[in-house]
Amino acid sequence: MVDPVVHIANLTIQHGKDSVLQDLNWQIFPGEQWILGGPSGTGKTTLAKAIVGQLKYEGTISFHLDNNSSLPPVVHYVSNWFQFTNLEGDRNFYYQQRYNKFAKNDTLTVFAELKHFAKDEQLAFEDVAPYLTIFGFENFKDQQLIELSSGEHKRLQLVKALWLQPQVLVIDQPYTGLDVQSRKDLNQIFDQLADKGVSLLLISNDDEQPDCINRFAEIQNGKIVLRHHSREISRGIPRKRKELPYFLQQPPKISDPTMVKMRQINISYGEKQVLKNIDWEVKAGEKWLLQGHNGSGKSTLLSLINGDHPQAYANDIHLFGKKRGSGESIWEIKEHLGIISPELHWYYDMNANVGQTIASGFFDSMSLYQKLGYEQQQKLDQVLHFFDLKDAKHKTLGSLPLGQQRLALLARTIVKHPELLILDEPCQGLDKEQSQYFNDVIDDLSKNGQTLIYVGHFQSQLPTCIDNKMVLEKGEIKSVERVIHKKETLST
């Protein structure tokens, strides 16, 4: 009889008073390639972390790895979030630091990170080259980790994992932050690894999956439930649409008919030019979709608008009727807009409770440091109710499943009813039902004159209100067009 590669017996994990996994039993045999799906909050990430020894648990988890295999006898885990440190082993970074060349960037470069990984895992450095090419990392070797976007961090994690080729590879949300072509390339590599004998466990609710996947499961009531196909895996319960809070039913206050005006924008980091000759105008009431492959310059372009990029002063940029650098403060700029991005989520204070997290949107802070006035408290209560977060108001943000964390930060974005919403991959980490719900909210807001810049790759995760589309490629504008047949023309 063949031994299972992974054998889990009577696994129980508590988070506070809540039981996340209860007497869970599961076996993964050689040749099995698994998708673990299901609604947000069922314990998928908790199980993955337990398998690789990152969480305490009751029960047993054992491995039967082949020491005679050409593959290293290793169980490797790729988390949904990349937790890098500085050279002293700390994570004391701030949100704007990745754009600020004048601040002390004391993280490793990509090249140094890969060198350390090769040494630790006894890998031949030349073997990483194909993966760097596939994920477009050839020109990133000299960049520091803090300078990478969330999509670039995800690709770096995947480069290391695929280079290692462990006997068991566990990946939490493998497609997070990846564009369409990167997803296709990744699925081909998964198929190749499976042919070599790697056992895959992919935690994912994406409709697409590599051809090699032959087993399916989800977690219900703390236990593994096997499925015959991914379409049998449970989805989150669709949310019932509610009427917007009254204050969000009113048009936002508009300070100028042209909210963003850029002329011949050029941004460079040393010899690397990130944005080249960008001309762009965003007028009040317009809804823009911003697209482009990972590393095309989208995040840098948005950072010029939200005030986070110091090179904004050296360029011809008008925001909300005022030339950038004419005496306005960063906080005066942020008064006009609400933003969410994977990077903001990464840097946010996970010890703040949900109520504090949403309320910090009134002050554009990364936690709540001020007392709310009566009107602000009323708006907070309305938004908590609208997003079904009232029961989580006093829970810390970090204690919630990733999907609920993202909803709380989305609520933070709209609580002050800004005239411009900047939503950078806002549905990253949400399941299909949560994504649909949030995009319905954006569509409802759009009816009241809301101006929008929305970054997203996938047709199924876009609002229908989009009326303009700009695509970047290698820092330059590839195309600008009016969107007529919206759903049919948005996806790239």
Side-chain angles (χ1 to χ4, degrees):
M1 183 176 179
V2 178
D3 289 327
V5 180
V6 182
H7 183 242
I8 303 172
N10 303 317
L11 182 67
T12 298
I13 297 179
Q14 300 276 135
H15 282 176
K17 296 180 180 179
D18 299 325
S19 178
V20 181
L21 303 177
Q22 186 65 46
D23 293 326
L24 182 146
N25 295 285
W26 194 20
Q27 296 182 91
I28 297 176
F29 287 91
E32 295 183 343
Q33 313 297 338
W34 287 85
I35 288 282
L36 179 61
S40 175
T42 54
K44 302 185 295 294
T45 296
T46 298
L47 175 58
K49 289 182 176 180
I51 290 174
V52 295
Q54 293 186 8
L55 289 179
K56 293 182 179 180
Y57 57 84
E58 296 179 8
T60 60
I61 301 177
S62 58
F63 305 98
H64 297 277
L65 304 177
D66 185 359
N67 291 318
N68 298 317
S69 170
S70 61
L71 302 174
V74 173
V75 180
H76 187 75
Y77 173 56
V78 177
S79 66
N80 199 17
W81 295 93
F82 183 53
Q83 304 292 315
F84 64 92
T85 64
N86 64 14
L87 299 180
E88 297 177 352
D90 298 324
R91 287 188 62 245
N92 188 26
F93 307 117
Y94 58 91
Y95 176 46
Q96 294 88 359
Q97 190 171 343
R98 65 178 289 230
Y99 304 114
N100 193 346
K101 299 298 287 187
F102 301 102
K104 183 182 179 183
N105 286 345
D106 58 352
T107 58
L108 291 173
T109 63
V110 170
F111 183 82
E113 174 74 11
L114 293 173
K115 278 287 189 182
H116 274 279
F117 188 74
K119 182 179 180 181
D120 290 343
E121 302 297 341
Q122 298 181 327
L123 299 172
F125 195 77
E126 58 271 18
D127 292 344
V128 76
Y131 301 112
L132 294 177
T133 301
I134 288 171
F135 290 107
F137 250 91
E138 307 101 310
N139 299 323
F140 284 83
K141 291 182 180 179
D142 295 326
Q143 281 196 261
Q144 295 199 20
L145 297 180
I146 198 169
E147 296 176 306
L148 303 182
S149 70
S150 64
E152 291 158 358
H153 273 304
K154 189 69 178 186
R155 285 184 287 153
L156 180 58
Q157 290 186 78
L158 293 170
V159 164
K160 290 159 65 178
L162 303 177
W163 180 22
L164 177 61
Q165 299 189 9
Q167 290 188 25
V168 179
L169 179 54
V170 183
I171 305 183
D172 196 346
Q173 305 301 333
Y175 307 109
T176 294
L178 299 183
D179 56 39
V180 174
Q181 186 58 49
S182 296
R183 288 176 172 221
K184 291 180 180 178
D185 293 338
L186 181 58
N187 281 338
Q188 290 182 352
I189 297 172
F190 282 149
D191 291 336
Q192 294 168 6
L193 293 183
D195 288 341
K196 291 182 178 180
V198 175
S199 295
L200 296 172
L201 170 55
L202 306 182
I203 299 174
S204 174
N205 285 316
D206 277 86
D207 291 332
E208 60 180 296
Q209 61 195 35
D211 293 336
C212 64
I213 295 297
N214 53 25
R215 297 290 187 275
F216 308 89
E218 62 179 298
I219 299 174
Q220 289 187 348
N221 299 318
K223 294 178 171 60
I224 286 289
V225 178
L226 304 183
R227 300 300 185 197
H228 293 99
H229 195 277
S230 59
R231 59 176 170 264
E232 298 178 2
I233 295 175
S234 303
R235 299 290 186 177
I237 300 173
R239 291 169 173 264
K240 293 182 180 179
R241 293 183 69 169
K242 300 178 181 178
E243 187 175 48
L244 283 171
Y246 178 74
F247 76 95
L248 293 175
Q249 296 179 27
Q250 314 307 310
K253 294 179 181 180
I254 304 300
S255 56
D256 193 87
T258 301
M259 294 194 180
V260 179
K261 185 177 181 180
M262 296 181 170
R263 290 289 177 267
Q264 291 295 292
I265 303 303
N266 290 278
I267 300 293
S268 297
Y269 301 142
E271 297 182 356
K272 180 182 179 183
Q273 191 164 6
V274 181
L275 293 177
K276 306 174 187 177
N277 304 322
I278 301 293
D279 291 330
W280 190 26
E281 284 192 14
V282 177
K283 297 185 181 298
E286 291 181 338
K287 287 83 180 169
W288 281 86
L289 175 65
L290 179 61
Q291 292 189 317
H293 295 304
N294 298 129
S296 61
K298 302 185 300 297
S299 295
T300 300
L301 183 61
L302 295 181
S303 72
L304 294 171
I305 299 173
N306 64 39
D308 288 331
H309 204 298
Q311 292 189 45
Y313 296 104
N315 284 274
D316 185 2
I317 301 174
H318 287 74
L319 301 175
F320 311 106
K322 294 183 179 181
K323 186 174 182 358
R324 188 76 171 96
S326 58
E328 82 291 351
S329 72
I330 187 174
W331 304 112
E332 288 172 326
I333 293 173
K334 290 181 180 294
E335 285 177 0
H336 298 275
L337 54 85
I339 184 169
I340 188 168
S341 68
E343 287 78 24
L344 184 144
H345 189 169
W346 197 92
Y347 286 103
Y348 199 84
D349 181 4
M350 290 291 114
N351 293 316
N353 68 38
V354 171
Q356 293 169 334
T357 297
I358 298 173
S360 70
F362 289 119
F363 311 107
D364 303 302
S365 59
M366 297 299 279
S367 192
L368 184 62
Y369 308 110
Q370 303 180 46
K371 188 174 181 180
L372 298 184
Y374 176 79
E375 184 178 347
Q376 291 171 329
Q377 187 64 57
Q378 294 300 306
K379 290 179 179 179
L380 172 61
D381 290 341
Q382 291 176 44
V383 171
L384 282 165
H385 171 74
F386 180 75
F387 280 99
D388 295 323
L389 290 169
K390 291 192 77 170
D391 291 342
K393 179 179 179 179
H394 299 293
K395 294 182 178 180
T396 63
L397 188 64
S399 69
L400 300 183
L402 183 62
Q404 277 196 301
Q405 290 182 31
R406 186 54 58 88
L407 283 178
L409 289 172
L410 295 175
R412 174 188 181 271
T413 304
I414 66 172
V415 71
K416 69 176 180 181
H417 199 14
E419 55 188 293
L420 172 62
L421 278 179
I422 299 177
L423 306 176
D424 186 356
E425 299 282 7
C427 295
Q428 198 177 100
L430 302 185
D431 60 31
K432 184 177 291 187
E433 288 73 26
Q434 289 170 324
S435 298
Q436 183 62 55
Y437 170 76
F438 179 69
N439 285 326
D440 287 345
V441 173
I442 299 304
D443 285 331
D444 287 344
L445 286 169
S446 73
K447 298 172 185 176
N448 302 317
Q450 180 69 60
T451 308
L452 174 70
I453 299 174
Y454 194 110
V455 179
H457 294 295
F458 303 103
Q459 181 176 333
S460 62
Q461 293 187 350
L462 296 173
T464 60
C465 64
I466 300 297
D467 52 26
N468 292 279
K469 174 182 174 181
M470 182 166 76
V471 180
L472 296 181
E473 185 174 286
K474 296 180 180 178
E476 298 182 279
I477 295 176
K478 180 181 179 182
S479 64
V480 177
E481 61 186 83
R482 290 280 296 175
V483 174
I484 306 299
H485 305 289
K486 298 185 175 77
K487 280 291 187 180
E488 289 77 10
T489 60
L490 293 180
S491 184
T492 61

